[in-house]
Amino acid sequence: MAKYLLLKHYRGAPAAVNDVPMAEWTPAEVEAHVRYMNDFADRLRESGEFVDGQALAPRGEWVRYDGEGRPPVTDGPFAETKDLIAGWMVIDVDGHERAVELAGELSAAPGAGGKPIHEWLELRPFLTEPPTITE
Amino acid sequence: MREFVPVVIGVLVRRGAGFAAAEDAVQDALVEAIRVWPSNPPADPKAWLITVAWRRFADAARADAARRRREELVEQQPAPGPASTTDDTLHLYFLCAHPSLSPSSAVALTLRAVGGLTTRQIAAAYLVPEATMAQRISRAKRTVSGVRFDRPGDVATVLRVLYLVFNEGYSGDVDLSAEAIRLTRQLAAGYDHPEVSGLLALMLLHHARRASRTGPGGELVPLAAQDRSRWDTRLIAEGVEILQAALARDRLGEFQAQAAIAALHADAPAAAETDWVQILEWYDELAALTDSPIVRLNRAVAVGEADGPRAGLAALAALDDTLPRYTAVAAYLHERAGELDTAARLYAEAAHRALHLAERDHLIRQAARLNAR
């Protein structure tokens, strides 16, 4: 009963073990990868642990307030220093151990050669309302 | 209407229905009741629900040829007689909190089958999609479907589930703390056990202080700063009375000990008049019962209040500094000891490590307060 955000990065994370760009995979390898991700989400729906998930486009821009009466400034995406989030999934699980287990499972999605990618995923707990009993 | 749900499920299961089928039949009967009752209210709503739910169950069983065995069971059933509804409800508590279920599944199933909440309400309370909660509940039902209904499990498991519900407070349109109190009252009425009373007393004592625990903007108000005139004295009196009766039976458990601590807080007319020495004694009892690191962390706070911040810091030093709230406690004790720079640094660090939003904001304010001096 704790929510976690699983973040998949386009870049910014350490390189995956099986680090071959997706464009160089065979169509069957891409197919297997996509199926793995969908099956993973379906299993979480079935286990009652799925909350939400979306993919994000790699393009993005930075926006900043530029003073009274002026339009916001846009720039970026500063990709050379900031990582880009490829997509996210929110899970609701019994505890941290289960969240790590699921993140590990997602990181094992097959890539080139049908072998797991071993990609790094970011796991972030949600801040929640405090429990009723604190003192 | 939903207070009848556990009773009706219990009656159906005792007459031979499987748990999942009984639960489905009761939901069907509730839908029927919503349709029929406004224009044609029954004289005995509970009997009406039992009759309609049993008919739905029997129809479903008959419609399913593969369930012939269950159909035979239906025909063998004696006519309904006076039902021992308290016992049936009680069995349902144990079934829904069965150790084979994960905590979140046990919570969901208890709220649905014992509490009579809809799947949508439970999903909203836990901020998950309704489909997710529906899966959680149906998996839970499958898990316990083979469990014999007449064999109560460990009451500690049931109490843990109710405590989890209580601690969730409220985030949807259902007040889970109030719901947990309602369910614990119902359990206490049918199951005579000092720890059930202990948990009920603990919930009442905490609930009594609820209005004063947050400020107008939702910010956390620590116990010492709470407006005690807003505490619900009626709930406090009831909690204390239930606790005293439980303690008199001399079978101490962790919920009774926690309730005793809550009662001592509730009993103080002002924060400065809190009987910390006695609270510390209860923490010693509690630590002996649970050996929980969280309890020892709370005990360090009590040591700080009873014997001074230096003693509190010494008690803290023996604990694992990765415990949740460890740094917050350290910050507080350093502030009490007059080491304000250290305290400010630790409050900021504690805010960074906080698991809860309102707590994080509270700790940031503490750091800001000390830095602005």
Side-chain angles (χ1 to χ4, degrees):
Chain A
M1 278 175 289
K3 289 192 183 63
Y4 287 85
L5 178 65
L6 286 170
L7 282 178
K8 212 172 153 65
H9 294 260
Y10 279 113
R11 54 192 290 180
V17 171
N18 183 11
D19 190 19
V20 179
M22 214 168 169
E24 292 168 27
W25 299 358
T26 68
E29 284 164 1
V30 173
E31 171 63 28
H33 179 80
V34 170
R35 196 166 52 238
Y36 184 96
M37 309 289 277
N38 290 339
D39 289 351
F40 178 77
D42 284 346
R43 276 202 307 282
L44 291 185
R45 283 188 186 93
E46 213 271 324
S47 66
E49 294 173 309
F50 183 83
V51 179
D52 205 354
Q54 296 285 332
L56 292 176
R59 64 181 185 279
E61 57 195 339
W62 292 74
V63 180
R64 196 200 74 193
Y65 175 65
D66 200 38
E68 189 63 45
R70 296 160 66 95
V73 175
T74 63
D75 202 355
F78 308 133
E80 70 284 2
T81 51
K82 302 282 187 286
D83 55 342
L84 287 167
I85 295 158
W88 45 267
M89 186 182 280
V90 178
I91 55 175
D92 186 26
V93 293
D94 270 319
H96 179 253
E97 200 179 325
R98 173 67 176 157
V100 170
E101 181 187 329
L102 289 175
E105 204 178 306
L106 190 58
S107 165
K115 300 263 190 333
I117 308 176
H118 297 275
E119 109 190 276
W120 287 96
L121 295 171
E122 195 179 346
L123 180 67
R124 302 271 300 270
F126 275 51
L127 281 176
T128 61
E129 292 304 312
T132 301
I133 295 178
T134 50
E135 60 263 349
Chain B
M1 200 193 298
R2 63 190 173 86
E3 66 265 29
F4 298 125
V5 168
V7 177
V8 181
I9 294 176
V11 169
L12 262 59
V13 171
R14 197 164 38 78
R15 287 191 199 163
F19 173 66
E23 217 271 343
D24 289 343
V26 172
Q27 294 299 327
D28 284 349
L30 288 176
V31 170
E32 183 74 3
I34 290 165
R35 202 176 60 79
V36 172
W37 288 10
S39 57
N40 190 12
D44 183 347
K46 187 167 77 185
W48 188 97
L49 280 173
I50 291 172
T51 306
V52 172
W54 181 250
R55 203 180 294 140
R56 290 300 169 108
F57 163 71
D59 287 350
R62 262 191 294 274
D64 189 351
R67 299 187 179 184
R68 186 166 301 281
R69 197 186 57 77
R70 190 176 292 158
E71 188 177 30
E72 286 162 7
L73 210 66
V74 173
E75 284 161 4
Q76 287 164 12
Q77 279 311 305
S84 55
T85 52
T86 316
D87 276 352
D88 290 332
T89 304
L90 191 61
H91 285 306
L92 211 52
Y93 275 90
F94 284 96
L95 187 67
C96 293
H98 197 268
S100 63
L101 296 167
S102 71
S104 53
S105 302
V107 161
L109 193 58
T110 299
L111 287 171
R112 166 84 184 225
V114 188
L117 297 182
T118 65
T119 305
R120 190 192 59 75
Q121 287 174 312
I122 303 168
Y126 286 94
L127 301 173
V128 299
E130 188 172 346
T132 294
M133 191 51 78
Q135 280 295 347
R136 211 177 275 179
I137 291 169
S138 73
R139 273 173 72 95
K141 283 200 273 185
R142 282 203 299 278
T143 303
V144 295
S145 64
V147 173
R148 270 185 58 197
F149 193 61
D150 59 351
R151 192 186 300 152
D154 180 2
V155 70
T157 316
V158 177
L159 296 182
R160 201 151 47 236
V161 167
L162 294 172
Y163 190 53
L164 283 174
V165 173
F166 180 77
N167 253 324
E168 208 61 37
Y170 58 161
S171 41
D173 57 356
V174 177
D175 182 341
L176 288 175
S177 295
E179 181 65 17
I181 289 174
R182 187 178 78 81
L183 297 181
T184 309
R185 274 191 198 283
Q186 188 177 277
L187 177 67
Y191 193 76
D192 185 25
H193 189 291
E195 273 293 86
V196 178
S197 302
L199 178 61
L200 180 57
L202 178 65
M203 288 177 175
L204 292 172
L205 288 162
H206 278 289
H207 206 61
R209 300 203 297 258
R210 177 146 145 186
S212 61
R213 287 184 69 235
T214 46
E219 69 274 16
L220 220 60
V221 182
L223 183 55
Q226 288 174 15
D227 175 359
R228 291 174 188 235
S229 70
R230 295 177 70 199
W231 290 0
D232 186 333
T233 49
R234 191 185 52 85
L235 282 185
I236 290 173
E238 187 192 355
V240 168
E241 192 182 329
I242 291 170
L243 173 65
Q244 281 172 341
L247 289 175
R249 298 171 63 179
D250 207 20
R251 281 164 63 201
L252 189 62
E254 60 177 295
F255 287 121
Q256 293 169 76
Q258 283 193 59
I261 292 164
L264 285 165
H265 283 302
D267 196 39
E273 291 172 58
T274 307
D275 186 348
W276 284 105
V277 173
Q278 216 186 323
I279 286 176
L280 182 54
E281 286 167 9
W282 277 111
Y283 270 118
D284 288 337
E285 294 273 9
L286 191 54
L289 285 165
T290 66
D291 197 33
S292 139
I294 305 290
V295 166
R296 276 182 278 140
L297 184 67
N298 286 329
R299 183 184 169 278
V301 176
V303 170
E305 300 290 351
D307 304 333
R310 290 279 152 222
L313 285 167
L316 196 62
L319 302 176
D320 176 0
D321 64 5
T322 63
L323 279 169
R325 298 205 178 97
Y326 177 98
T327 314
V329 170
Y332 174 73
L333 290 171
H334 279 289
E335 184 183 354
R336 292 272 326 274
E339 294 159 0
L340 303 187
D341 290 336
T342 306
R345 182 179 55 75
L346 288 172
Y347 276 128
E349 190 190 324
H352 189 68
R353 293 170 60 173
L355 304 172
H356 307 290
L357 199 55
E359 253 171 55
R360 184 198 63 183
D361 294 349
H362 172 72
L363 291 165
I364 285 284
R365 284 193 190 94
Q366 300 298 314
R369 177 177 54 80
L370 291 183
N371 284 326
R373 91 199 112 92

